[in-house]
Amino acid sequence: MQLTTARPSLLTRVANMAWSFSQRYWRVIVVAMLALLHIAVFRGVADPWARALLLAHLGLLLLWQPFLRGEQRISLTQGVILALVAAAVMLHLDWWVLAFWVVVLAGLVGGKVYQQHARWQRRAYLVVLAYLLALLAIAILPEITPRREIDPDIRAYAEYVLPFAFVLIALFPSEPDSADAPHIIDFFYSVFVMLLIVVVILGSFTFMSVTGTPYLKALTATIFLAAGGMLLVALAWNPRSGGGLDVFFSRYLFSIGLPVEKWLHVLAELLQVEARPERFLSEAVAALLRVPSVAGVRWRSGDTTGEQGSRTPHEVEYASSELALTIYSRYRLGPTLRWHLHLLGQLLGEFYVAKLGEEKLRQSSYLQAVHETGARMTHDIKNLLQSLSVLTSVAARDQGGDRERSSPELQALLRRQLPLIERRLAETLDKLQRPQESGEIYVAARLWWDSLARQYRGEGVEFEPAAPPPGVRLPRSLFDSVADNLIRNALAKRADDEGLRVRVAFECGERLALRVCDSGSAVPAGIAANVLRAPVSSRSGLGIGLYQAARQAEASGYRLVLESNLDGEVCFVLSGAAA
């Protein structure tokens, strides 16, 4: 602790040195403080030297004190008030005041015992507590009892034996973290120790006055009665069978937080049922107003502002990157209530940020679905355009040839292809209008295989004979898309090799397998490694179409692989369980 005066430079350095010394050698400070108290008590309250020693004892206590941070400065006004209080107490010092002071010291030390995790440091404070209780029982209380019955020899022995506690405290080994440990006390335990000592003192005095029992016997009887009462309370608090007083105490504590618990329950429900962040925030604030300590709430999120309830002079603010929140309290704000309301605001802010992230994720998922659907539909449309180009080229050749001989063949081709192209275009348009995932349509495998063979009749595609069982079904959209991509990619190689053969086989048993092979050159190694795993750059069209087809197959429980990649034998296979 540092004092601020008219000469801050010199006194500040002295104060800093004193504070550093007290932090590093706290046991020396405690021993010196107790030694001065010991001498003053045994010299008596009427001795002027005892009063001076008690003033020095008070100064050492200020160095050791566990109430304030040591680096905090005391203003000149506070220093004067502290000096006047100390002077008034010393001028009117008597045994009752001294007894009260020792009880307060015992309470402080008892509160620090429960906060110490270092073993030897805790034992040192236990010795200090035992010394203060012994000093109080042997040297101070006999001076204020109804009858002074303490044996002078016991007092004389105590005067020379009790200081051995100082030696014991000094001999305890120091621990590395004891110097840096914060000086804190447990207020509840400190008050409990003080009240227990006061009960023992007043109980022993009452015992002496009522029964005429000597001081030591009355003190001993009172101590045992207090210990028995504490034992009964401990057994009633937490009995072996369970269901003690601690259950009712815990229920009382939980009932204090019941409105907040209800608000958290409402907040969790809103997070599940409310999709729009602004609606979620409005409903959560309305539920927050049902907490007894909240009078009103004002918020701002981006360009949106809102307010519910009423404003009061007591406000708590919470601000984050997405939400600025002001909570108005019905009551005057203490540290606990301020922390409590700030925690509520932080919870609401975190839930609101999560809801915003959920909306962004939903929008991103929709855009991703649009992108993937568009990429897949682009290749479907490309395949359909290639089919239309074939029909157009056939029609053009038919106009230059013998119309009577070729028109029936052209009409048959048109009757086969145009309904199929119309259906495929309608499905593609429907998927573009609704990019979300739609249910797959299953058709008979035999019908689909026959339709695929008719579709590519006349384009030089060799279909191996297959006879799928009548009861086997397959996902039509998946097999249409994959078959079109694989066959069109194989036919595209004919621009470089007119003699290229394209073979299509269909195996139908417990598992379905659609195999498309061509006799062209192998896929380059750099492309083959990623062609089904990521979009690749290729002028032959083996890039994003096959990647999307592979992803569509994976989503439907099938697998598209490059089975063979050799010159003259390039095979892709779509396989999966039969439905």
Side-chain angles (χ1 to χ4, degrees):
M1 185 168 297
Q2 304 170 356
L3 298 176
T4 303
T5 62
R7 299 178 61 187
S9 60
L10 178 60
L11 291 182
T12 298
R13 289 196 298 268
V14 173
N16 288 337
M17 292 175 59
W19 172 248
S20 300
F21 179 84
S22 66
Q23 288 292 292
R24 188 172 183 180
Y25 304 102
W26 64 272
R27 295 188 187 186
V28 177
I29 300 298
V30 171
V31 169
M33 178 182 70
L34 296 179
L36 292 177
L37 177 64
H38 182 86
I39 297 173
V41 167
F42 281 96
R43 290 184 68 92
V45 295
D47 192 305
W49 284 103
R51 299 170 184 258
L53 291 175
L54 285 177
L55 285 175
H57 161 80
L58 180 60
L60 293 176
L61 176 67
L62 292 177
L63 286 178
W64 171 79
Q65 57 84 25
F67 300 105
L68 302 174
R69 298 190 306 270
E71 66 273 12
Q72 183 174 350
R73 295 177 179 272
I74 293 180
S75 64
L76 182 61
T77 303
Q78 292 173 339
V80 171
I81 294 175
L82 184 62
L84 291 177
V85 171
V89 172
M90 294 305 135
L91 290 175
H92 299 84
L93 183 65
D94 58 12
W95 289 107
W96 281 100
V97 174
L98 195 58
F100 174 76
W101 177 247
V102 174
V103 169
V104 171
L105 282 181
L108 293 179
V109 175
K112 287 185 70 65
V113 168
Y114 292 99
Q115 293 294 328
Q116 298 302 324
H117 301 287
R119 180 179 59 177
W120 291 107
Q121 191 171 357
R122 184 171 62 251
R123 292 178 179 179
Y125 281 116
L126 284 174
V127 174
V128 173
L129 179 61
Y131 166 79
L132 291 174
L133 294 178
L135 182 68
L136 183 67
I138 298 175
I140 299 178
L141 291 183
E143 301 293 336
I144 57 178
T145 54
R147 298 186 304 275
R148 298 185 59 182
E149 298 177 346
I150 191 71
D151 192 344
D153 293 336
I154 298 178
R155 183 183 176 88
Y157 287 141
E159 183 177 1
Y160 296 103
V161 173
L162 288 181
F164 282 101
F166 308 154
V167 179
L168 186 61
I169 294 172
L171 291 179
F172 278 146
S174 59
E175 292 167 306
D177 57 343
S178 61
D180 299 330
H183 286 285
I184 56 176
I185 61 171
D186 190 309
F187 178 77
F188 177 81
Y189 283 113
S190 295
V191 173
F192 177 75
V193 171
M194 290 173 56
L195 293 179
L196 183 61
I197 295 175
V198 170
V199 167
V200 172
I201 293 173
L202 297 181
S204 61
F205 288 176
T206 303
F207 207 86
M208 291 177 63
S209 301
V210 173
T211 62
T213 307
Y215 165 71
L216 291 180
K217 291 184 178 181
L219 181 62
T220 303
T222 305
I223 290 174
F224 277 103
L225 288 175
M230 290 183 60
L231 179 61
L232 293 177
V233 171
L235 293 176
W237 183 264
N238 189 15
R240 290 179 177 271
S241 59
L245 297 178
D246 62 332
V247 176
F248 299 98
F249 185 71
S250 300
R251 184 178 301 173
Y252 170 73
L253 293 180
F254 288 150
S255 66
I256 295 176
L258 189 59
V260 177
E261 183 181 354
K262 289 182 178 179
W263 178 72
L264 291 177
H265 182 69
V266 172
L267 201 63
E269 287 185 347
L270 287 175
L271 191 66
Q272 299 294 329
V273 301
E274 188 58 59
R276 299 172 55 188
E278 60 274 10
R279 291 279 301 169
F280 167 80
L281 182 60
S282 178
E283 294 293 335
V285 169
L288 183 59
L289 291 177
R290 294 195 285 268
V291 176
S293 58
V294 177
V297 180
R298 178 166 55 91
W299 71 89
R300 185 182 71 257
S301 176
D303 298 333
T304 305
T305 59
E307 183 172 355
Q308 295 188 23
S310 59
R311 298 190 181 187
T312 65
H314 316 298
E315 61 181 38
V316 176
E317 295 184 353
Y318 169 78
S320 64
S321 60
E322 301 291 346
L323 179 66
L325 198 67
T326 303
I327 302 177
Y328 298 97
S329 173
R330 301 181 187 275
Y331 315 111
R332 184 177 180 182
L333 293 173
T336 303
L337 184 57
R338 180 179 295 276
W339 174 83
H340 177 74
L341 294 180
H342 187 273
L343 179 61
L344 295 183
Q346 186 175 1
L347 285 172
L348 179 56
E350 294 296 333
F351 276 81
Y352 180 67
V353 169
K355 182 57 67 175
L356 289 176
E358 181 182 336
E359 184 183 33
K360 292 179 181 178
L361 182 60
R362 185 166 54 250
Q363 294 176 353
S364 176
S365 300
Y366 179 78
L367 292 177
Q368 183 180 4
V370 171
H371 168 73
E372 293 182 355
T373 303
R376 188 167 60 250
M377 295 304 102
T378 299
H379 284 270
D380 289 345
I381 294 174
K382 181 195 71 173
N383 295 333
L384 293 174
L385 286 176
Q386 290 177 347
S387 298
L388 288 174
S389 298
V390 172
L391 292 178
T392 304
S393 63
V394 172
R397 288 197 305 268
D398 182 72
Q399 290 179 357
D402 187 359
R403 298 185 179 180
E404 294 181 358
R405 184 180 59 186
S406 59
S407 292
E409 297 177 358
L410 176 61
Q411 292 177 2
L413 178 62
L414 292 177
R415 284 195 300 270
R416 289 196 308 268
Q417 296 291 339
L418 288 180
L420 179 63
I421 293 175
E422 180 185 8
R423 177 181 62 81
R424 295 282 301 280
L425 281 175
E427 291 179 354
T428 302
L429 181 61
D430 184 66
K431 292 178 181 177
L432 285 174
Q433 291 176 344
R434 295 191 298 273
Q436 66 272 13
E437 294 293 334
S438 58
E440 185 63 83
I441 299 176
Y442 284 80
V443 297
R446 175 176 294 182
L447 294 178
W448 177 85
W449 174 250
D450 294 340
S451 175
L452 182 67
R454 288 194 303 268
Q455 178 182 349
Y456 288 97
R457 182 182 303 170
E459 296 191 39
V461 179
E462 301 176 9
F463 286 86
E464 297 183 0
V472 178
R473 304 172 68 82
L474 54 78
R476 185 180 66 185
S477 176
L478 170 64
F479 275 74
D480 282 345
S481 178
V482 173
D484 282 346
N485 272 284
L486 295 179
I487 296 175
R488 289 302 174 186
N489 288 335
L491 292 176
K493 292 184 179 182
R494 285 185 176 176
D496 299 328
D497 184 6
E498 294 183 357
L500 182 137
R501 297 177 57 197
V502 179
R503 303 187 312 277
V504 181
F506 186 54
E507 299 175 3
C508 189
E510 294 183 358
R511 295 181 63 82
L512 299 178
L514 175 65
R515 181 175 287 100
V516 178
C517 302
D518 65 76
S519 60
S521 59
V523 180
I527 297 178
N530 298 315
V531 67
L532 299 177
R533 297 183 178 91
V536 296
S537 177
S538 174
R539 69 179 181 88
S540 62
L542 297 177
I544 193 170
L546 289 180
Y547 166 66
Q548 292 290 346
R551 292 199 57 186
Q552 185 181 3
E554 183 180 354
S556 300
Y558 286 76
R559 187 183 180 197
L560 178 61
V561 297
L562 179 57
E563 184 181 49
S564 175
N565 188 30
L566 301 173
D567 288 337
E569 186 69 19
V570 179
C571 293
F572 288 87
V573 177
L574 173 66
S575 61

